[in-house]
């Protein structure tokens, strides 16, 4: 049986300026060699990479776009990537009164910055969409990504939907990557409740540290401290994977009760760090949902993230099985 995966979350059209030496100040300018317009959004990047890395998966991107030119190009790109048509408008729902989300990406060799318009992402309420519910209830795994960009994912109704789904389908696994909180508050109505429902949590080090501080009051200033804080508060988590950029990741395995470090493969040249975490998630999840071998999944995740930073853009084109396996 072909595994069916629902990836729920944000879709953006990215305008990417790469290889910046430094960010411009007000009234200043910087020149780069290339500025590209490509499909982005953490959920969209993850879903497209997953399909490329494991073409045998049946993957739907449960996301929302506007009724505009960017939305039309998004539909075309998602279909070309092999993602499922899960609703009557195709591989994404269309919010007729909203614009498609967009993001200006300023990327340097070591880090990146963003300016975003959430647009239709703010109207994504998958638990209220019958087509989305139907696909999710037929899924063996559900991955939530771009949480802080999508208001509908931050409601207690959404957390309750996932709780009920887990009771109805105990074999369905859930994972979460919140992404960065642009509002810098790190707390939402249902975040604590959501973390008590999922099986796999995939923050980066900054996100994990800030979430721990907000939800527990604890200062977790290392990946191990983040993991220790999370596993004590959320014993339901079977795996906690804290991504630490160029140093790789740290993994907590609840079965073995161990925390281990996993360095990434060597990268010859960093071109663009945008989307490295999304590529890691895709490599990890596309392997883990097939065999639940987290060690092999981490290996593929690290390789996927390492390959991503050698390319311009987060997912242009998506990684393939030939790239990472």
């Amino acid at each position: 049986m072909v595994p069916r995966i629902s990836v729920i979350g944000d879709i953006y059209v990215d305008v990417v300026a790469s290889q910046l030496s430094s960010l411009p100040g007000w009234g200043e300018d910087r020149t780069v060699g290339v500025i590209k317009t490509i499909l982005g959004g953490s959920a969209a990047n993850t879903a497209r990479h997953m399909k490329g890395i494991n073409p045998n998966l049946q993957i739907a991107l449960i996301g929302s776009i506007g009724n505009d030119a960017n939305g039309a190009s998004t539909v075309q790109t998602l279909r070309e990537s092999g993602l499922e048509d899960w609703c009557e408008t195709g591989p994404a729902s269309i919010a007729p009164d909203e614009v498609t989300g967009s993001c200006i990406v300023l990327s340097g060799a070591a880090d990146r910055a963003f300016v975003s318009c959430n647009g239709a992402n703010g109207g994504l309420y998958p638990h209220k969409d019958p087509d989305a519910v139907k696909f999710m209830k037929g899924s063996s795994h559900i991955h939530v990504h771009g949480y802080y960009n999508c208001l509908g994912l931050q409601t207690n109704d959404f957390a309750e939907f996932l709780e009920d789904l887990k009771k109805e389908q105990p074999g369905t696994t859930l994972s979460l990557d919140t992404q960065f909180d642009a509002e810098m508050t790190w707390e939402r109505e249902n975040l604590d409740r959501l973390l008590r429902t999922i099986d796999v949590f995939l923050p980066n080090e900054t996100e994990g540290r800030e979430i721990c501080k907000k939800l527990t009051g604890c200062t977790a200033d290392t990946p191990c401290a983040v993991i220790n804080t999370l596993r004590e508060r959320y014993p339901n988590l079977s795996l906690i994977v804290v991504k630490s950029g160029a140093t790789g990741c740290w993994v907590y395995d609840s079965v073995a009760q161990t925390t281990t470090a996993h360095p990434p493969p060597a990268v010859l040249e960093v071109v663009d760090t945008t989307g490295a975490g999304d590529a890691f998630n895709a490599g990890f999840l596309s392997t883990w949902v097939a065999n639940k071998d987290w060690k092999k999944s981490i290996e593929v995740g690290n390789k996927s993230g390492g390959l991503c930073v050698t390319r311009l853009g987060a997912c242009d084109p998506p990684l393939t099985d030939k790239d990472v396996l």
Side-chain angles (χ1 to χ4, degrees):
M1 184 176 179
V2 176
R4 175 185 280 192
I5 314 298
S6 294
V7 179
I8 307 171
D10 54 350
I11 303 173
Y12 289 88
V13 171
D14 289 347
V15 179
V16 183
S18 293
Q19 299 176 316
L20 278 166
S21 57
S22 62
L23 293 177
W26 293 115
E28 297 179 352
D29 192 6
R30 296 290 186 274
T31 300
V32 295
V34 178
I35 296 178
K36 299 177 66 175
T37 300
I38 57 178
L39 182 62
S42 55
N45 293 336
T46 300
R48 294 175 66 216
H49 280 312
M50 284 183 71
K51 183 64 178 178
I53 294 169
N54 190 342
N56 294 323
L57 297 176
Q58 185 182 14
I59 301 175
L61 172 61
I62 310 295
S64 181
I65 56 178
N67 187 21
D68 54 16
N70 281 339
S73 65
T74 294
V75 167
Q76 179 179 348
T77 301
L78 295 178
R79 283 183 171 150
E80 290 172 352
S81 300
L83 301 185
E84 299 295 315
D85 283 359
W86 59 268
C87 62
E88 63 180 17
T89 55
S93 64
I94 295 177
D97 298 324
E98 294 287 351
V99 298
T100 300
S102 55
C103 182
I104 299 170
V105 182
L106 304 174
S107 178
D111 214 335
R112 66 267 192 267
F114 307 93
V115 181
S116 300
C117 168
N118 286 341
N121 291 306
L124 177 63
Y125 289 79
H127 52 293
K128 295 182 178 181
D129 185 324
D131 291 330
V133 169
K134 181 179 179 180
F135 198 94
M136 287 188 286
K137 286 193 172 182
S139 297
S140 58
H141 185 79
I142 297 172
H143 177 59
V144 180
H145 206 152
Y147 168 87
Y148 285 117
N149 297 330
C150 303
L151 295 176
L153 307 185
Q154 301 167 22
T155 64
N156 273 314
D157 285 349
F158 178 66
E160 183 177 1
F161 168 79
L162 292 181
E163 290 169 355
D164 291 344
L165 186 146
K166 286 272 285 185
K167 292 174 184 175
E168 295 171 13
Q169 301 174 192
T172 298
T173 49
L174 307 176
S175 57
L176 170 68
D177 186 333
T178 60
Q179 201 68 356
F180 192 82
D181 181 12
E183 295 183 9
M184 298 291 287
T185 62
W186 299 101
E187 185 177 18
R188 296 294 188 275
E189 177 185 8
N190 75 340
L191 181 55
D192 186 69
R193 185 175 180 179
L194 199 58
L195 285 167
R196 296 182 188 280
T197 306
I198 63 170
D199 303 287
V200 181
F201 188 33
L202 296 149
N204 67 26
E205 189 173 346
T206 298
E207 293 155 2
R209 179 178 67 244
E210 295 299 332
I211 288 169
C212 286
K213 183 177 180 181
K214 178 57 67 173
L215 295 184
T216 71
C218 297
T219 300
D221 53 5
T222 67
C224 284
V226 169
I227 284 173
N228 288 336
T229 301
L230 290 170
R231 70 184 182 89
E232 289 176 9
R233 187 175 181 89
Y234 305 108
N236 54 289
L237 292 171
S238 60
L239 290 171
I240 304 170
V241 182
V242 178
K243 295 164 287 188
S244 297
T247 60
C249 65
W250 292 76
V251 182
Y252 169 69
D253 172 13
S254 67
V255 175
Q257 294 283 296
T258 57
T259 298
T260 50
H262 299 266
V267 175
L268 295 178
E269 181 183 8
V270 175
V271 175
D272 183 359
T273 58
T274 307
D278 305 337
F280 173 95
N281 289 348
F284 173 83
L285 290 171
S286 62
T287 309
W288 186 78
V289 298
N291 57 30
K292 298 300 187 288
D293 180 350
W294 71 259
K295 292 181 180 178
K296 176 62 176 178
S297 303
I298 289 295
E299 180 184 327
V300 178
N302 269 336
K303 188 171 183 181
S304 300
L307 284 170
C308 182
V309 302
T310 66
R311 303 177 174 190
L312 179 60
C315 188
D316 183 41
L319 297 170
T320 69
D321 51 349
K322 293 182 177 64
D323 293 325
V324 302
L325 300 179

